[in-house]
Amino acid sequence: MAKSLYSFIDEADLPLFQKFIRELLDSEKNILLRNDIIRAFQTFLREDDEENSHSCWRFLRKVQEALVWEGRLIMVYRHRRANCRIFVLNGEDEALGHLEINDFLEIKEHLVRPDLGPLHRTMEINLASFYDYGPTLKDPQTIGKGIKHLNRYMSARLANQPEKWGQVLYEFLKLHQLHGVQLLLDGEVIRDTIELESALEDILDFLDRCDCDTRLELIKKKLQRFGFLDGWGNSRNRIQETLHLLQDTLEQPSEETQEELLARIPMVSKVTMISPHGWFGQDNVLGRPDTGGQVVYVLDQAKAMEKYLTADLALSGLEISPKILIVTRLIPENEGTTSDQRLERVRGTENVWILRVPFVDRAGCIVPHWISRFKIWPYLDQFAEDVEGEIKLELKGRPDLIIGNYSDGNLVATRLSSKMGVIQCNIAHALEKSKYLFSDLYWQDFEEDYHFSVQFMADLIAMNLANFIISSTSQEIIGTERSIGQYESYQFFTMPGLMHVSNGINLFHPRFNVISPGVNTDIYFPYKEKKRRRSWQKIKSLASVIFEQEDGDSFGSLDNPDLPPIFSIARLDRIKNLTGLVEAYGKSEKLRAQANLVIIASVIDPDRSKDNEEAAEISKMYELIDRYDLRGSLRWIGKMLDSEDAGEVYRIMADRRGVFVQPALFEAFGLTILEAMHSGLPVFATQFGGPLEIIENRESGILINPTIHEDMTGKISGFFEECSDDPGLWQGYSQKGITRAQTHFTWELHCRNLTRLTKVYGFWRYSISDKAKSRMAQYCHLLYHLFFQKRANKLLE
């Protein structure tokens, strides 16, 4: 149905709005992004001196981009998150024309590549029809809560078709084994749901009358006679509760009882985490190219998973120790790391191992040196083949769960999941498509350095085949009211001359779940807990390294060392924006008089960097230090500390009543923010990305706009000024940050939710038809072999 501008713009504002549209049509740009449109309207209002424009603002703030095409303005109107309409305006009529996505992509392609001939046909990708096998969410607010919707859907099926879906649940319980031991149900004793319901009544009657809580072996023998094997619980009460959950699920199914039942089933004891790129190790790796937060995340996640699974299996009454493999790349030229070791136990664990498998070239030779994450794509197919054999050798069989990390790890996890028949979880950490402006539209300009044509296809394949996807924040999926999310950017896009993606990912499929990570609380804990901290001598030594020591890994000195520190720690790449923080600090004489700036980042010699972007940022740092004469008020430590030292550094900054600043242009989540909050250091963090969901602004931290230097320095300076007037203010932010972090962002909570997802989605994966699953898999298989492999192999030519 055709719409009119009156549906969006008040009648009194319409002449003004149409005048602005005509001005845009006369602009030199033919592709306008949201910020371009907002700035243009602000300028237009000043020149036009009109005040009555509220409805214009309401409309324009929802426009993500616009194209100027043959006297018309084509607007992508994002009426709500994960939903767009494409309107056509001419600046004269009140009617709003409508454009289909494919037509929009063709126009966009022509604007960027007018040289493409009339006979050129760009490959079209539309995955919408493959999403007809399961439930669909309706409200964008529910995206990221897939487990809740899936439980509701599956419990409704059990209620409406109890015979059919009760049998599915029975078969699912009957198939369970761990370490070769049959669990839960004896199929020879309990042969169908009718016998299961009867056996449940009898055994629950026995348990109600049983008074032998301390004689678990007697209970187990009775259970076995009725057809119930090990795995129901480690005590009479636990067994009784679990069996009641099963009975309730069969007789009166609800989403709550079904989820709790599935959460108690012992399904997970062997986990494989895939993280191929970078330097993955426990020492001497952080700060190297492609090596940062993801390494910390995976190591901490693996340690916490072992601890959680040990307790979870014990609650099931099983004496089984979990085993976790972190699979990464073996690098013979190890440069002082352990990256040349095939197998390395993770410290502080019983059975968590780093398993390294080398890349192999076309000639079958091991690739000895490190390779950038943007150039590893040709090696991943053989890597996945080799990894499969190594996993089976180490685990003596298949894992129960495969977790992919980042684009490359997710693709390898997809290959392994398909071949081994194992449930797969994807974690993006960050999708490169959102990091680089116009990375799709001008993909050819990026291709030599970044090879986005390969990476974006890898993302499409992996995210559509994953059993479930977890993100640290909902913004990663669907963004905010004003900006699109990382996954949302894959809904439709064009890479001119290469492919049009009209339906790349269905955000309303219940595979998406938000599970925030935590930090290692043995390392990152409040500065006030003096007895847990390092020795006085170690703290003094670290303080000397950070504030005073002059060597080849430090730069700058502090003329007034008693001033509180503004602290930041990150890799030196463009998106982390440490140079932006330095420039903002340099411009603010007031802030420089209030506080010193202390940065821990990468190396201080650009010649020692192997990354071009990092080397450029290092050179820019020196230029800014000279421009603003910061040598007496800035300390730059050019090395990454081990985690225990890093934890103590946050506390040292808190001792000196400093603050932590995370100035990234965009941050998918922000582990360093959590590290600072757990340590009790007040936090200032970018408003773009995950920090919006970590920090309660002006409560447990302060959000900043890192692109506006005055906003960043004004808020930090204002904070120090307020603290001088109110000594309790710093302490208030410190404590609220600690409380927020300890309540919502812990690895224990993360692992509980991740394990629960594995079990619920494991049941869902089992229950849906092979036909429904295979059509998507077949399509993605074609994309992998006919597009991905072909382009990936070109990287070696």
Side-chain angles (χ1 to χ4, degrees):
M1 182 177 177
K3 286 188 174 290
S4 165
L5 275 172
Y6 288 120
S7 302
F8 303 95
I9 307 295
D10 294 344
E11 185 175 356
D13 295 337
L14 191 57
L16 179 74
F17 181 78
Q18 290 177 321
K19 183 178 179 182
F20 174 63
I21 296 301
R22 291 194 293 272
E23 188 166 301
L24 288 182
L25 288 170
D26 292 334
S27 68
E28 295 181 0
K29 286 186 175 182
N30 54 22
I31 299 177
L32 300 157
L33 297 181
R34 181 181 183 279
N35 286 344
D36 298 324
I37 297 167
I38 295 298
R39 284 197 297 266
F41 191 60
Q42 289 170 335
T43 302
F44 170 78
L45 284 183
R46 285 195 294 269
E47 293 177 352
D48 202 79
D49 197 28
E50 290 281 353
E51 295 182 1
N52 189 24
S53 59
H54 297 299
S55 61
C56 301
W57 276 121
R58 286 198 300 269
F59 181 85
L60 292 173
R61 283 181 176 135
K62 290 180 178 285
V63 175
Q64 290 301 306
E65 64 176 316
L67 308 179
V68 177
W69 173 253
E70 295 183 346
R72 294 172 294 166
L73 192 71
I74 300 169
M75 286 185 162
V76 179
Y77 181 78
R78 185 170 174 259
H79 56 286
R80 57 180 185 165
R81 286 185 287 179
N83 288 271
C84 287
R85 299 167 182 164
I86 302 176
F87 293 140
V88 183
L89 303 86
N90 62 13
E92 302 291 344
D93 297 336
E94 289 136 15
L96 276 174
H98 177 74
L99 201 64
E100 296 296 329
I101 288 176
N102 275 333
D103 296 329
F104 170 77
L105 295 177
E106 285 185 13
I107 291 171
K108 201 171 184 182
E109 178 182 58
H110 186 81
L111 286 172
V112 175
R113 291 287 307 277
D115 57 305
L116 294 176
L119 298 179
H120 176 83
R121 294 291 181 268
T122 300
M123 178 176 69
E124 294 185 6
I125 296 175
N126 185 343
L127 296 165
S129 62
F130 301 109
Y131 279 95
D132 60 352
Y133 62 87
T136 299
L137 285 68
K138 303 298 183 184
D139 184 357
Q141 299 298 326
T142 63
I143 295 174
K145 303 172 184 175
I147 186 173
K148 181 177 179 64
H149 193 80
L150 196 58
N151 276 316
R152 184 179 302 157
Y153 177 81
M154 291 192 296
S155 62
R157 292 200 307 181
L158 277 165
N160 296 330
Q161 297 176 285
E163 291 184 6
K164 177 181 178 180
W165 296 109
Q167 186 67 21
V168 171
L169 177 58
Y170 160 76
E171 296 288 348
F172 180 72
L173 296 174
K174 191 178 70 172
L175 64 82
H176 275 289
Q177 294 184 354
L178 283 181
H179 296 209
V181 177
Q182 183 67 41
L183 301 174
L184 300 178
L185 295 181
D186 184 340
E188 294 183 2
V189 178
I190 302 175
R191 291 166 293 187
D192 54 33
T193 52
I194 295 174
E195 293 187 359
L196 174 59
E197 289 174 355
S198 175
L200 276 170
E201 287 184 10
D202 292 338
I203 195 63
L204 285 170
D205 179 63
F206 163 75
L207 290 172
D208 283 337
R209 292 182 288 105
C210 177
D211 59 357
C212 49
D213 286 15
T214 59
R215 304 176 67 184
L216 190 58
E217 287 307 313
L218 288 178
I219 294 176
K220 285 186 174 183
K221 287 180 181 179
K222 189 73 171 180
L223 284 166
Q224 287 173 6
R225 284 201 292 270
F226 280 96
F228 296 96
L229 305 176
D230 287 347
W232 295 103
N234 63 343
S235 68
R236 188 196 74 162
N237 286 341
R238 181 80 178 181
I239 293 168
Q240 196 171 19
E241 287 174 4
T242 308
L243 291 175
H244 269 301
L245 286 168
L246 175 56
Q247 187 178 56
D248 291 344
T249 299
L250 289 169
E251 294 179 357
Q252 295 177 320
S254 71
E255 57 188 278
E256 292 82 11
T257 55
Q258 178 186 273
E259 179 178 333
E260 187 58 31
L261 169 65
L262 293 172
R264 290 187 176 211
I265 296 173
M267 299 186 202
V268 185
S269 66
K270 299 175 183 177
V271 180
T272 298
M273 301 174 175
I274 312 293
S275 183
H277 76 256
W279 302 80
F280 201 104
Q282 300 179 82
D283 301 300
N284 304 320
V285 296
L286 295 181
R288 293 172 180 267
D290 296 346
T291 308
Q294 182 175 314
V295 173
V296 176
Y297 181 109
V298 175
L299 280 171
D300 285 351
Q301 184 190 50
K303 294 175 187 176
M305 276 294 284
E306 182 191 43
K307 185 176 180 180
Y308 181 82
L309 290 177
T310 299
D312 188 56
L313 291 166
L315 281 173
S316 297
L318 302 175
E319 296 180 359
I320 293 176
S321 298
K323 183 169 184 176
I324 297 173
L325 293 179
I326 302 170
V327 179
T328 188
R329 183 196 159 199
L330 187 143
I331 307 174
E333 296 176 1
N334 67 333
E335 297 188 11
T337 72
T338 56
S339 294
D340 60 335
Q341 295 181 15
R342 176 184 174 273
L343 207 58
E344 178 185 355
R345 188 201 295 268
V346 174
R347 290 191 295 268
T349 70
E350 294 295 324
N351 217 2
V352 180
W353 301 84
I354 301 171
L355 172 64
R356 298 186 180 90
V357 179
F359 286 168
V360 177
D361 63 22
R362 288 176 174 175
C365 299
I366 291 175
V367 178
H369 51 276
W370 169 85
I371 300 174
S372 162
R373 71 184 189 275
F374 296 113
K375 299 181 185 296
I376 66 175
W377 304 106
Y379 304 101
L380 294 184
D381 193 66
Q382 186 60 49
F383 179 74
E385 293 286 333
D386 297 339
V387 161
E388 182 183 359
E390 296 289 335
I391 290 173
K392 288 179 177 177
L393 179 66
E394 291 301 320
L395 296 182
K396 296 180 175 58
R398 302 182 309 166
D400 304 307
L401 168 66
I402 297 174
I403 302 174
N405 292 275
Y406 190 71
S407 299
D408 47 26
N410 288 332
L411 185 68
V412 173
T414 299
R415 302 289 291 165
L416 292 169
S417 172
S418 175
K419 293 195 68 177
M420 302 175 80
V422 175
I423 189 168
Q424 171 197 355
C425 165
N426 278 8
I427 306 174
H429 295 283
L431 292 166
E432 300 290 343
K433 187 170 180 294
S434 304
K435 287 185 181 181
Y436 297 84
L437 189 63
F438 294 132
S439 56
D440 52 357
L441 206 53
Y442 296 100
W443 65 273
Q444 288 179 307
D445 297 340
F446 293 95
E447 195 69 358
E448 184 176 350
D449 293 325
Y450 299 112
H451 305 286
F452 287 147
S453 67
V454 181
Q455 182 159 3
F456 295 173
M457 180 58 76
D459 287 334
L460 283 172
I461 293 169
M463 65 177 61
N464 279 290
L465 290 181
N467 297 111
F468 64 97
I469 296 171
I470 65 174
S471 66
S472 298
T473 66
S474 64
Q475 291 177 65
E476 290 179 53
I477 311 170
I478 56 171
T480 66
E481 292 297 328
R482 297 187 177 186
S483 61
I484 66 172
Q486 294 183 58
Y487 284 100
E488 189 179 356
S489 72
Y490 280 82
Q491 283 186 304
F492 62 91
F493 63 95
T494 180
M495 302 180 83
L498 187 66
M499 61 178 167
H500 292 163
V501 178
S502 57
N503 281 283
I505 182 69
N506 182 359
L507 300 180
F508 291 88
H509 187 277
R511 62 162 44 98
F512 290 98
N513 289 274
V514 176
I515 307 181
S516 299
V519 298
N520 186 336
T521 52
D522 290 332
I523 293 172
Y524 302 100
F525 55 85
Y527 73 99
K528 296 178 290 186
E529 298 182 16
K530 303 293 185 183
K531 292 182 179 179
R532 296 180 64 189
R533 294 182 63 172
R534 311 288 289 276
S535 66
W536 178 82
Q537 291 87 350
K538 181 62 178 178
I539 292 173
K540 184 178 179 181
S541 174
L542 266 176
S544 176
V545 169
I546 300 302
F547 295 107
E548 301 168 1
Q549 188 170 300
E550 295 182 11
D551 55 27
D553 291 322
S554 62
F555 182 86
S557 59
L558 302 178
D559 294 340
N560 189 350
D562 293 331
L563 290 176
I566 299 168
F567 176 55
S568 193
I569 179 170
R571 296 188 314 276
L572 254 177
D573 56 26
R574 183 186 61 82
I575 202 75
K576 295 298 183 183
N577 194 39
L578 288 181
T579 52
L581 173 60
V582 171
E583 184 170 12
Y585 176 77
K587 287 179 178 178
S588 175
E589 292 186 10
K590 182 178 180 181
L591 186 56
R592 288 165 61 181
Q594 292 172 304
N596 293 314
L597 180 59
V598 179
I599 287 175
I600 298 179
S602 304
V603 296
I604 64 173
D605 182 356
D607 293 333
R608 287 168 55 192
S609 173
K610 293 184 177 181
D611 183 277
N612 291 336
E613 184 176 298
E614 179 186 66
E617 288 294 295
I618 293 170
S619 298
K620 185 177 179 180
M621 281 275 281
Y622 284 115
E623 189 272 325
L624 291 169
I625 290 168
D626 287 340
R627 185 194 307 176
Y628 296 106
D629 190 21
L630 300 178
R631 292 174 184 268
S633 56
L634 176 145
R635 280 281 291 174
W636 174 12
I637 311 303
K639 62 181 177 182
M640 299 304 286
L641 306 175
D642 66 45
S643 56
E644 289 192 1
D645 284 349
E648 193 58 57
V649 167
Y650 283 107
R651 291 187 287 272
I652 289 171
M653 299 298 172
D655 290 336
R656 298 182 178 219
R657 292 299 188 265
V659 298
F660 178 77
V661 180
Q662 209 278 25
L665 299 175
F666 176 83
E667 183 59 64
F669 183 68
L671 279 177
T672 54
I673 295 170
L674 284 189
E675 291 169 357
M677 291 172 72
H678 273 278
S679 304
L681 188 60
V683 170
F684 291 76
T686 178
Q687 67 186 36
F688 301 120
L692 276 170
E693 293 179 40
I694 300 175
I695 290 171
E696 302 159 300
N697 193 29
R698 294 287 178 181
E699 290 289 332
S700 51
I702 297 174
L703 296 170
I704 56 175
N705 185 339
T707 65
I708 302 175
H709 291 167
E710 294 78 10
D711 180 81
M712 183 159 45
T713 56
K715 288 177 177 174
I716 300 171
S717 177
F719 175 81
F720 282 123
E721 198 167 44
E722 290 176 42
C723 285
S724 64
D725 296 334
D726 178 7
L729 183 70
W730 186 96
Q731 183 61 45
Y733 271 94
S734 171
Q735 186 55 52
K736 286 177 182 177
I738 292 170
T739 301
R740 172 81 173 162
Q742 291 180 345
T743 303
H744 297 282
F745 303 100
T746 67
W747 279 118
E748 181 182 3
L749 185 60
H750 173 98
C751 292
R752 174 189 177 275
N753 290 332
L754 175 56
T755 305
R756 185 165 289 229
L757 286 171
T758 303
K759 296 176 179 183
V760 171
Y761 283 86
F763 178 54
W764 164 245
R765 182 175 183 267
Y766 175 80
S767 68
I768 59 177
S769 70
D770 289 335
K771 182 179 178 181
K773 291 184 290 187
S774 65
R775 289 186 292 108
M776 176 72 85
Q778 288 168 358
Y779 188 86
C780 289
H781 181 80
L782 288 174
L783 292 176
Y784 181 85
H785 288 282
L786 299 181
F787 182 96
F788 173 84
Q789 276 193 323
K790 182 179 178 181
R791 292 197 68 87
N793 288 334
K794 284 186 177 181
L795 272 66
L796 298 177
E797 294 176 358

